[in-house]
């Protein structure tokens, strides 16, 4: 059984394997990158390392994305790096990036246990390449994000954009 960190983006609930989470913190200062993909919020200094900050709201909701109200605090999920993954994560086939990556989310929910019988494939009407499936936990439906697919899409887009100019 794997545990999942769950969080909100707008009113929707998402989850990723807890092994991929190094830390959850309040939003810190992010320096925007002019002319960059809008899904990349910018760069931040994370304990002396320059780290990309991915705005999940812009990744998952392509249109009609508005900034959170001024009083609503955003949070950051700092993802674990490949060399920081425990052996249990590697045994489960999980992979991480070599460099730190930060996900900008609206709010954290809770850690839940993922029971095998509670997993379902993504619904047919969900045309989102980053969703691996759906998990039911009590009354909550949680969309499970594929962090590798998300990062691969961002990197591919940036490489295509940079080579096309």
């Amino acid at each position: 059984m794997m545990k999942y960190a769950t969080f909100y983006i707008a009113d929707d609930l998402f989850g990723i394997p807890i092994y991929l989470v190094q830390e959850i913190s309040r939003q810190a200062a992010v320096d925007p990158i002019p002319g960059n993909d809008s899904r990349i919020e910018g760069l931040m200094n994370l304990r002396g390392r320059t780290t990309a900050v991915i705005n999940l709201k812009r990744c998952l909701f392509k249109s009609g994305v508005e900034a959170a109200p001024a009083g609503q605090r955003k949070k950051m999920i700092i993802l674990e790096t490949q060399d920081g993954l425990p052996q249990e994560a590697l045994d489960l086939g999980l992979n991480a990036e070599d460099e730190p990556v930060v996900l900008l989310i609206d709010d954290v929910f809770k850690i839940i246990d993922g029971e095998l019988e509670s997993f379902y494939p993504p619904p047919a009407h969900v045309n989102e390449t980053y969703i691996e499936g759906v998990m039911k936990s009590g009354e909550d439906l949680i969309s499970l994000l594929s962090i590798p697919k998300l990062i691969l899409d961002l990197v591919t887009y940036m490489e295509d954009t940079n080579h096309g100019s």
Side-chain angles (χ1 to χ4, degrees), residues 20 22 49 79-85 96-101:
L20 297 180
Q22 180 184 92
R49 295 175 86 173
L79 297 178
E80 188 60 77
T81 57
Q82 185 66 30
D83 61 356
L85 288 178
E97 295 300 307
D98 292 331
E99 296 295 321
V101 175

Side-chain angles (χ1 to χ4, degrees), residues 7-8 26 34 39 55 107 143 155:
F7 51 90
Y8 284 101
R26 289 190 197 115
R39 298 174 295 173
N55 186 319
D107 205 0
S143 297
V155 168

Side-chain angles (χ1 to χ4, degrees), residues 99-152:
E99 296 295 321
V101 175
V102 175
L103 305 177
L104 188 61
I105 62 170
D106 287 333
D107 205 0
V108 293
F109 184 50
K110 61 182 177 180
I111 306 298
I112 59 167
D113 292 328
E115 300 288 339
L116 191 55
E117 59 274 3
S118 65
F119 289 92
Y120 304 96
H125 67 281
V126 173
N127 186 18
E128 185 53 67
T129 55
Y130 312 136
I131 305 298
E132 291 185 323
V134 177
M135 180 172 52
K136 187 163 176 52
S137 175
E139 296 300 312
D140 298 313
L141 282 177
I142 302 158
S143 297
L144 301 176
L145 287 180
S146 171
I147 298 301
K149 288 180 185 176
L150 172 72
I151 292 174
L152 178 63

